[in-house]
Amino acid sequence: MDWLIDLFTKEDSMAHIALLYAMVIAVGVYLGKIKLGGVSLGVTFVLFAGIVAGHFGFTAPLSTLNFMQDFGLILFVFMIGLQVGPGFFSSFKEGGVRLNLLAVGLILLNIVAMFVCYFAFFNTADPNNLPMMIGTLYGAVTNTPGLGAATEALTSIRGAATPAIANGYACAYPLGVVGIIGATIAIRYICGIKLQEEEEDLNSHEESTTSKPHLMHLIVQNEFLANHTILEIHDFLKRDFVCSRILRGTELIIPKSSTTLELGDKLFVVCSEADAEAVQAFIGPRTVVPEFAEQEKTKQMVSRRILITKPEINGKTPAKLHFSSVYGVNVTRVTRQGMDIFARNDLPLQVGDKVMVVGDRVSVNRISSVLGNMEKRLDAPNLATIFVGIILGLLLGSIPFAIPGIPVPLKLGLAGGPLIVAIIIGRYGYKIKLVTYTTTSANLMLREIGLVLFLASVGIKAGANFWNTVVDGDGLLYVGTGFLITVLPILIIGTVARKMFRFNYFTIMGMLAGACTDPPALGFANASCSKDAPSIGYSTVYPLSMFLRIFTAQLIVLICCS
């Protein structure tokens, strides 16, 4: 039985370390699935499993714990950056600016509430109280990357790991999850909101985006268009549209930009919903063309969704690929991450996009080989891009920025550097020939592996002192202040969003969940609404909120704890 005892007690054994992480992660993940009142802690319960293991002396060498913690954090934030990168900059357009400003306001109010509670309830002379409050802040808003950034920044200042931040996080997190959902419900009663009326408002004023494709059959009745090419008409109208088929008498034509129109031509046109009325008014009225289907069979015309898998296509636009003039086909729509987008001439295509191609069978097969259309190529993540990005992120995170009044130079660190690089290459990587595509499941897998390694390491290190610090100390006070940090800013921002900006309640729910980067709150919001308004609100503010949560965590520590 000595081998079994050694397996559980010999801390420098690789088998012991692997067993430790496997048990902590497995127990944490399983217990995290338990729901209380319809809410579960999810994978974050790994932190509490690690605390229990550390409390009972089931641990590993400190150097190993530090490495696993830092590597897990890097992998976690980098995969988040790749996920949010494509939509990070576009989230500031139109109404997204106001939503992001509200999210920034919520983040600042959380920080203000943390400092107010710190000076009101705690002894500021104790050097451990401020790190505990910083941990409480990030537990209150359920932001694990912020916990990682704050921990890494404090370690760089004090030269040794401190359990205070993790203990504060563990105190505040459970009520943070409940508090975010509870506060969004309270806003409904404060503002006198009726859910049925909000649903009806979404139905009657459902937002239409300029990129959503609109399909219609038109008959050419504008005499001005006769003997003019499609390119000339396109330039004159100043609206983006694609004419994928023309029925002239009994003849079916796949048009090119140089094809001329004649009066009476029946066109199959795809454009954005915002442009549909103008295109129809200029060309002619809608018509029903049952002949299209019969003629397509005669000429072996096909419409096919083709998957882009060739890296050399990444970043190129339909205009640069000359689909119509070179390949004799028309591209009308692009499906990206489950959303249909109108195929504008200047839309950069990405690996993983599915394009709707219309043409004769031979031409469509030809363009299929040009674009790739080999799904197996996408099964494996682009590991080279991931690790090149991590290298660049670590270099960026290590650059010191001297700021007057701060004794320690500011660094983006292991969290901020990889996050910023991942956002940039996620959006613009194609310009330097980096293919950043990963399937949603692959991204989630790598991200979750990084997260559980980080949480397990933090919990195991904090476990030895957790009982004395939290239970025998001011633990309940930290729980209470964490609840205040969670609820009060949400009530203020949520009320402002409704009363001042008149946002739909379901959009507000998504915005608040995104600003707190809290998936359980988004799940609750989605369950309350039949539309995708909560998801739109969440995805609009999530990228900037995640970045600011991580950046402000390091800034607070470097300014206040150095």
Side-chain angles (χ1 to χ4, degrees), residues 20-70:
L20 167 65
Y21 275 92
M23 290 185 66
V24 167
I25 292 170
V27 170
V29 170
Y30 278 119
L31 292 180
K33 294 180 179 180
I34 299 174
K35 291 186 176 182
L36 296 176
V39 178
S40 65
L41 295 184
V43 73
T44 309
F45 207 96
V46 171
L47 173 69
F48 299 96
I51 288 173
V52 172
H55 176 72
F56 288 104
F58 190 28
T59 185
L62 183 60
S63 59
T64 302
L65 293 174
N66 287 337
F67 168 76
M68 298 295 277
Q69 173 184 315
D70 292 343

Short mmCIF file of all heavy atoms in Angstrom, two decimals, residues 20-70:
data_model
loop_
_atom_site.label_atom_id
_atom_site.label_comp_id
_atom_site.label_asym_id
_atom_site.label_seq_id
_atom_site.Cartn_x
_atom_site.Cartn_y
_atom_site.Cartn_z
N LEU A 20 -3.71 15.33 -8.30
CA LEU A 20 -4.24 16.49 -7.60
C LEU A 20 -5.11 17.34 -8.52
O LEU A 20 -6.26 17.65 -8.19
CB LEU A 20 -3.08 17.33 -7.04
CG LEU A 20 -3.42 18.73 -6.54
CD1 LEU A 20 -4.34 18.66 -5.33
CD2 LEU A 20 -2.14 19.51 -6.21
N TYR A 21 -4.58 17.71 -9.67
CA TYR A 21 -5.33 18.57 -10.60
C TYR A 21 -6.55 17.84 -11.16
O TYR A 21 -7.63 18.44 -11.32
CB TYR A 21 -4.43 19.05 -11.73
CG TYR A 21 -3.64 20.29 -11.37
CD1 TYR A 21 -2.38 20.20 -10.82
CD2 TYR A 21 -4.19 21.55 -11.55
CE1 TYR A 21 -1.66 21.33 -10.48
CE2 TYR A 21 -3.48 22.69 -11.22
CZ TYR A 21 -2.22 22.58 -10.67
OH TYR A 21 -1.52 23.71 -10.33
N ALA A 22 -6.39 16.55 -11.46
CA ALA A 22 -7.52 15.79 -12.01
C ALA A 22 -8.67 15.72 -11.01
O ALA A 22 -9.85 15.91 -11.38
CB ALA A 22 -7.06 14.39 -12.39
N MET A 23 -8.35 15.47 -9.73
CA MET A 23 -9.40 15.35 -8.72
C MET A 23 -10.07 16.69 -8.45
O MET A 23 -11.30 16.79 -8.37
CB MET A 23 -8.81 14.77 -7.43
CG MET A 23 -8.40 13.30 -7.53
SD MET A 23 -7.85 12.61 -5.96
CE MET A 23 -9.36 12.68 -5.00
N VAL A 24 -9.26 17.74 -8.31
CA VAL A 24 -9.81 19.06 -8.01
C VAL A 24 -10.72 19.52 -9.16
O VAL A 24 -11.84 20.01 -8.94
CB VAL A 24 -8.68 20.08 -7.77
CG1 VAL A 24 -9.22 21.51 -7.79
CG2 VAL A 24 -7.98 19.79 -6.45
N ILE A 25 -10.24 19.37 -10.39
CA ILE A 25 -11.03 19.83 -11.54
C ILE A 25 -12.29 18.99 -11.71
O ILE A 25 -13.39 19.54 -11.94
CB ILE A 25 -10.15 19.79 -12.81
CG1 ILE A 25 -9.04 20.86 -12.71
CG2 ILE A 25 -11.00 20.04 -14.06
CD1 ILE A 25 -7.99 20.75 -13.81
N ALA A 26 -12.15 17.67 -11.61
CA ALA A 26 -13.32 16.80 -11.81
C ALA A 26 -14.39 17.07 -10.75
O ALA A 26 -15.58 17.24 -11.07
CB ALA A 26 -12.89 15.34 -11.76
N VAL A 27 -13.98 17.13 -9.49
CA VAL A 27 -14.94 17.39 -8.41
C VAL A 27 -15.58 18.77 -8.59
O VAL A 27 -16.79 18.93 -8.46
CB VAL A 27 -14.24 17.28 -7.03
CG1 VAL A 27 -15.17 17.79 -5.92
CG2 VAL A 27 -13.84 15.85 -6.75
N GLY A 28 -14.76 19.79 -8.91
CA GLY A 28 -15.28 21.14 -9.08
C GLY A 28 -16.28 21.25 -10.21
O GLY A 28 -17.31 21.90 -10.08
N VAL A 29 -15.97 20.61 -11.34
CA VAL A 29 -16.87 20.68 -12.50
C VAL A 29 -18.19 19.99 -12.20
O VAL A 29 -19.27 20.51 -12.52
CB VAL A 29 -16.19 20.06 -13.74
CG1 VAL A 29 -17.21 19.90 -14.88
CG2 VAL A 29 -15.02 20.93 -14.21
N TYR A 30 -18.13 18.82 -11.57
CA TYR A 30 -19.37 18.10 -11.27
C TYR A 30 -20.23 18.85 -10.25
O TYR A 30 -21.44 18.98 -10.42
CB TYR A 30 -19.05 16.69 -10.75
CG TYR A 30 -18.78 15.69 -11.85
CD1 TYR A 30 -17.55 15.05 -11.95
CD2 TYR A 30 -19.76 15.40 -12.80
CE1 TYR A 30 -17.30 14.14 -12.98
CE2 TYR A 30 -19.52 14.49 -13.83
CZ TYR A 30 -18.29 13.87 -13.90
OH TYR A 30 -18.04 12.96 -14.92
N LEU A 31 -19.61 19.36 -9.18
CA LEU A 31 -20.38 20.08 -8.17
C LEU A 31 -20.90 21.41 -8.73
O LEU A 31 -21.95 21.89 -8.31
CB LEU A 31 -19.52 20.34 -6.93
CG LEU A 31 -19.14 19.09 -6.12
CD1 LEU A 31 -18.28 19.47 -4.92
CD2 LEU A 31 -20.39 18.35 -5.65
N GLY A 32 -20.17 21.99 -9.68
CA GLY A 32 -20.60 23.24 -10.27
C GLY A 32 -21.87 23.13 -11.10
O GLY A 32 -22.50 24.14 -11.42
N LYS A 33 -22.25 21.92 -11.46
CA LYS A 33 -23.47 21.70 -12.24
C LYS A 33 -24.73 21.68 -11.37
O LYS A 33 -25.84 21.74 -11.89
CB LYS A 33 -23.37 20.39 -13.01
CG LYS A 33 -22.30 20.40 -14.10
CD LYS A 33 -22.24 19.08 -14.84
CE LYS A 33 -21.19 19.11 -15.94
NZ LYS A 33 -21.12 17.83 -16.69
N ILE A 34 -24.54 21.59 -10.04
CA ILE A 34 -25.69 21.57 -9.15
C ILE A 34 -26.35 22.94 -9.11
O ILE A 34 -25.68 23.96 -8.91
CB ILE A 34 -25.26 21.15 -7.72
CG1 ILE A 34 -24.66 19.73 -7.75
CG2 ILE A 34 -26.44 21.22 -6.76
CD1 ILE A 34 -24.08 19.30 -6.41
N LYS A 35 -27.66 22.98 -9.31
CA LYS A 35 -28.38 24.25 -9.35
C LYS A 35 -29.14 24.47 -8.05
O LYS A 35 -29.79 23.58 -7.52
CB LYS A 35 -29.36 24.27 -10.52
CG LYS A 35 -28.70 24.31 -11.89
CD LYS A 35 -29.71 24.48 -13.00
CE LYS A 35 -29.02 24.62 -14.36
NZ LYS A 35 -29.98 24.83 -15.45
N LEU A 36 -29.02 25.70 -7.54
CA LEU A 36 -29.79 26.13 -6.39
C LEU A 36 -30.64 27.31 -6.83
O LEU A 36 -30.10 28.35 -7.19
CB LEU A 36 -28.86 26.53 -5.23
CG LEU A 36 -27.98 25.41 -4.65
CD1 LEU A 36 -27.03 25.97 -3.59
CD2 LEU A 36 -28.85 24.31 -4.06
N GLY A 37 -31.96 27.12 -6.79
CA GLY A 37 -32.83 28.19 -7.27
C GLY A 37 -32.68 28.44 -8.75
O GLY A 37 -32.86 29.57 -9.22
N GLY A 38 -32.30 27.41 -9.52
CA GLY A 38 -32.13 27.56 -10.96
C GLY A 38 -30.81 28.16 -11.37
O GLY A 38 -30.58 28.39 -12.55
N VAL A 39 -29.89 28.41 -10.42
CA VAL A 39 -28.60 29.03 -10.71
C VAL A 39 -27.48 28.11 -10.24
O VAL A 39 -27.53 27.56 -9.15
CB VAL A 39 -28.46 30.40 -10.02
CG1 VAL A 39 -27.10 31.01 -10.29
CG2 VAL A 39 -29.57 31.33 -10.48
N SER A 40 -26.48 27.92 -11.07
CA SER A 40 -25.32 27.11 -10.70
C SER A 40 -24.07 27.97 -10.83
O SER A 40 -24.04 28.96 -11.55
CB SER A 40 -25.21 25.88 -11.60
OG SER A 40 -24.95 26.26 -12.94
N LEU A 41 -23.00 27.56 -10.12
CA LEU A 41 -21.73 28.29 -10.18
C LEU A 41 -20.90 27.88 -11.38
O LEU A 41 -19.91 28.53 -11.70
CB LEU A 41 -20.93 28.06 -8.89
CG LEU A 41 -21.55 28.62 -7.61
CD1 LEU A 41 -20.62 28.39 -6.44
CD2 LEU A 41 -21.87 30.09 -7.76
N GLY A 42 -21.26 26.78 -12.03
CA GLY A 42 -20.52 26.36 -13.22
C GLY A 42 -19.09 25.95 -12.89
O GLY A 42 -18.77 25.51 -11.78
N VAL A 43 -18.22 26.15 -13.87
CA VAL A 43 -16.85 25.69 -13.74
C VAL A 43 -16.09 26.43 -12.64
O VAL A 43 -15.06 25.95 -12.15
CB VAL A 43 -16.14 25.85 -15.10
CG1 VAL A 43 -15.84 27.31 -15.40
CG2 VAL A 43 -14.85 25.05 -15.16
N THR A 44 -16.60 27.60 -12.21
CA THR A 44 -15.91 28.36 -11.16
C THR A 44 -15.88 27.60 -9.84
O THR A 44 -15.07 27.91 -8.97
CB THR A 44 -16.60 29.73 -10.97
OG1 THR A 44 -16.73 30.36 -12.24
CG2 THR A 44 -15.82 30.62 -10.06
N PHE A 45 -16.70 26.58 -9.67
CA PHE A 45 -16.67 25.78 -8.45
C PHE A 45 -15.33 25.06 -8.29
O PHE A 45 -14.99 24.62 -7.20
CB PHE A 45 -17.81 24.76 -8.44
CG PHE A 45 -18.27 24.38 -7.06
CD1 PHE A 45 -19.35 25.01 -6.48
CD2 PHE A 45 -17.61 23.40 -6.33
CE1 PHE A 45 -19.76 24.67 -5.20
CE2 PHE A 45 -18.02 23.05 -5.06
CZ PHE A 45 -19.10 23.68 -4.48
N VAL A 46 -14.55 24.97 -9.37
CA VAL A 46 -13.21 24.38 -9.28
C VAL A 46 -12.37 25.15 -8.27
O VAL A 46 -11.54 24.57 -7.55
CB VAL A 46 -12.52 24.38 -10.67
CG1 VAL A 46 -11.06 23.98 -10.56
CG2 VAL A 46 -13.26 23.43 -11.62
N LEU A 47 -12.58 26.47 -8.18
CA LEU A 47 -11.85 27.27 -7.20
C LEU A 47 -12.13 26.78 -5.79
O LEU A 47 -11.20 26.63 -4.97
CB LEU A 47 -12.26 28.74 -7.34
CG LEU A 47 -11.70 29.71 -6.27
CD1 LEU A 47 -10.20 29.86 -6.44
CD2 LEU A 47 -12.39 31.06 -6.34
N PHE A 48 -13.38 26.51 -5.48
CA PHE A 48 -13.74 26.07 -4.13
C PHE A 48 -13.24 24.65 -3.86
O PHE A 48 -12.83 24.33 -2.74
CB PHE A 48 -15.25 26.16 -3.95
CG PHE A 48 -15.79 27.56 -4.09
CD1 PHE A 48 -16.31 27.99 -5.30
CD2 PHE A 48 -15.73 28.45 -3.03
CE1 PHE A 48 -16.78 29.29 -5.44
CE2 PHE A 48 -16.19 29.75 -3.17
CZ PHE A 48 -16.73 30.17 -4.37
N ALA A 49 -13.26 23.80 -4.88
CA ALA A 49 -12.69 22.45 -4.73
C ALA A 49 -11.19 22.54 -4.43
O ALA A 49 -10.66 21.79 -3.60
CB ALA A 49 -12.94 21.63 -5.99
N GLY A 50 -10.50 23.46 -5.10
CA GLY A 50 -9.08 23.66 -4.84
C GLY A 50 -8.83 24.18 -3.43
O GLY A 50 -7.85 23.77 -2.77
N ILE A 51 -9.68 25.09 -2.96
CA ILE A 51 -9.53 25.61 -1.59
C ILE A 51 -9.66 24.49 -0.57
O ILE A 51 -8.87 24.40 0.39
CB ILE A 51 -10.58 26.71 -1.33
CG1 ILE A 51 -10.22 27.98 -2.12
CG2 ILE A 51 -10.70 27.01 0.16
CD1 ILE A 51 -11.28 29.07 -2.05
N VAL A 52 -10.63 23.60 -0.76
CA VAL A 52 -10.80 22.46 0.16
C VAL A 52 -9.57 21.56 0.13
O VAL A 52 -9.06 21.14 1.18
CB VAL A 52 -12.07 21.67 -0.20
CG1 VAL A 52 -12.16 20.39 0.63
CG2 VAL A 52 -13.31 22.53 0.02
N ALA A 53 -9.06 21.27 -1.06
CA ALA A 53 -7.87 20.42 -1.18
C ALA A 53 -6.67 21.06 -0.48
O ALA A 53 -5.94 20.41 0.29
CB ALA A 53 -7.54 20.16 -2.65
N GLY A 54 -6.46 22.35 -0.71
CA GLY A 54 -5.35 23.05 -0.07
C GLY A 54 -5.50 23.12 1.44
O GLY A 54 -4.52 23.03 2.18
N HIS A 55 -6.73 23.28 1.92
CA HIS A 55 -6.98 23.36 3.36
C HIS A 55 -6.57 22.07 4.07
O HIS A 55 -6.05 22.11 5.19
CB HIS A 55 -8.46 23.65 3.60
CG HIS A 55 -8.83 23.66 5.06
ND1 HIS A 55 -8.45 24.68 5.90
CD2 HIS A 55 -9.54 22.77 5.81
CE1 HIS A 55 -8.91 24.42 7.12
NE2 HIS A 55 -9.58 23.28 7.08
N PHE A 56 -6.79 20.94 3.43
CA PHE A 56 -6.45 19.65 4.03
C PHE A 56 -5.05 19.16 3.64
O PHE A 56 -4.71 17.99 3.85
CB PHE A 56 -7.49 18.60 3.65
CG PHE A 56 -8.81 18.80 4.34
CD1 PHE A 56 -9.89 19.34 3.66
CD2 PHE A 56 -8.97 18.47 5.68
CE1 PHE A 56 -11.11 19.54 4.29
CE2 PHE A 56 -10.18 18.66 6.33
CZ PHE A 56 -11.26 19.21 5.63
N GLY A 57 -4.23 20.03 3.07
CA GLY A 57 -2.84 19.70 2.79
C GLY A 57 -2.61 18.89 1.53
O GLY A 57 -1.50 18.39 1.30
N PHE A 58 -3.63 18.75 0.69
CA PHE A 58 -3.48 18.04 -0.58
C PHE A 58 -3.01 19.07 -1.61
O PHE A 58 -3.82 19.77 -2.21
CB PHE A 58 -4.83 17.44 -0.98
CG PHE A 58 -4.76 16.48 -2.15
CD1 PHE A 58 -3.61 15.76 -2.45
CD2 PHE A 58 -5.87 16.30 -2.97
CE1 PHE A 58 -3.56 14.89 -3.52
CE2 PHE A 58 -5.84 15.42 -4.04
CZ PHE A 58 -4.68 14.72 -4.31
N THR A 59 -1.71 19.17 -1.78
CA THR A 59 -1.14 20.27 -2.55
C THR A 59 0.03 19.81 -3.41
O THR A 59 0.27 18.59 -3.52
CB THR A 59 -0.72 21.42 -1.61
OG1 THR A 59 -0.27 22.53 -2.36
CG2 THR A 59 0.37 20.97 -0.64
N ALA A 60 0.73 20.76 -4.01
CA ALA A 60 1.87 20.47 -4.89
C ALA A 60 2.93 21.54 -4.64
O ALA A 60 2.68 22.54 -3.97
CB ALA A 60 1.42 20.50 -6.36
N PRO A 61 4.16 21.35 -5.16
CA PRO A 61 5.20 22.37 -4.99
C PRO A 61 4.73 23.73 -5.50
O PRO A 61 4.03 23.82 -6.52
CB PRO A 61 6.37 21.83 -5.82
CG PRO A 61 6.17 20.35 -5.84
CD PRO A 61 4.68 20.16 -5.86
N LEU A 62 5.13 24.81 -4.82
CA LEU A 62 4.68 26.15 -5.16
C LEU A 62 5.07 26.53 -6.58
O LEU A 62 4.29 27.16 -7.29
CB LEU A 62 5.27 27.16 -4.16
CG LEU A 62 4.83 28.62 -4.34
CD1 LEU A 62 3.32 28.74 -4.20
CD2 LEU A 62 5.54 29.51 -3.33
N SER A 63 6.27 26.13 -7.03
CA SER A 63 6.71 26.47 -8.38
C SER A 63 5.79 25.84 -9.43
O SER A 63 5.48 26.46 -10.45
CB SER A 63 8.15 26.02 -8.61
OG SER A 63 8.27 24.61 -8.41
N THR A 64 5.34 24.62 -9.17
CA THR A 64 4.43 23.95 -10.10
C THR A 64 3.07 24.64 -10.12
O THR A 64 2.48 24.87 -11.19
CB THR A 64 4.25 22.47 -9.71
OG1 THR A 64 5.53 21.82 -9.71
CG2 THR A 64 3.32 21.76 -10.68
N LEU A 65 2.57 24.98 -8.93
CA LEU A 65 1.28 25.67 -8.85
C LEU A 65 1.34 27.01 -9.58
O LEU A 65 0.40 27.39 -10.29
CB LEU A 65 0.89 25.89 -7.39
CG LEU A 65 0.58 24.63 -6.57
CD1 LEU A 65 0.34 24.98 -5.11
CD2 LEU A 65 -0.63 23.89 -7.14
N ASN A 66 2.46 27.73 -9.41
CA ASN A 66 2.59 29.03 -10.08
C ASN A 66 2.62 28.88 -11.60
O ASN A 66 1.99 29.66 -12.33
CB ASN A 66 3.87 29.73 -9.62
CG ASN A 66 3.76 30.26 -8.20
OD1 ASN A 66 2.66 30.48 -7.70
ND2 ASN A 66 4.89 30.44 -7.54
N PHE A 67 3.35 27.86 -12.08
CA PHE A 67 3.40 27.65 -13.53
C PHE A 67 2.03 27.29 -14.09
O PHE A 67 1.59 27.86 -15.11
CB PHE A 67 4.40 26.55 -13.89
CG PHE A 67 4.30 26.10 -15.32
CD1 PHE A 67 4.82 26.89 -16.33
CD2 PHE A 67 3.66 24.92 -15.66
CE1 PHE A 67 4.70 26.50 -17.67
CE2 PHE A 67 3.54 24.52 -16.98
CZ PHE A 67 4.06 25.31 -17.98
N MET A 68 1.34 26.37 -13.46
CA MET A 68 0.03 25.95 -13.96
C MET A 68 -0.96 27.11 -13.91
O MET A 68 -1.79 27.28 -14.82
CB MET A 68 -0.49 24.79 -13.12
CG MET A 68 0.38 23.53 -13.20
SD MET A 68 0.42 22.80 -14.86
CE MET A 68 -1.09 21.85 -14.81
N GLN A 69 -0.86 27.93 -12.87
CA GLN A 69 -1.75 29.08 -12.76
C GLN A 69 -1.50 30.07 -13.89
O GLN A 69 -2.43 30.52 -14.55
CB GLN A 69 -1.52 29.77 -11.41
CG GLN A 69 -2.26 31.08 -11.25
CD GLN A 69 -1.94 31.77 -9.94
OE1 GLN A 69 -1.90 31.14 -8.90
NE2 GLN A 69 -1.70 33.07 -9.99
N ASP A 70 -0.24 30.41 -14.13
CA ASP A 70 0.09 31.41 -15.15
C ASP A 70 -0.19 30.89 -16.56
O ASP A 70 -0.73 31.62 -17.40
CB ASP A 70 1.56 31.83 -15.03
CG ASP A 70 1.83 32.62 -13.76
OD1 ASP A 70 0.85 33.11 -13.16
OD2 ASP A 70 3.00 32.73 -13.36
#
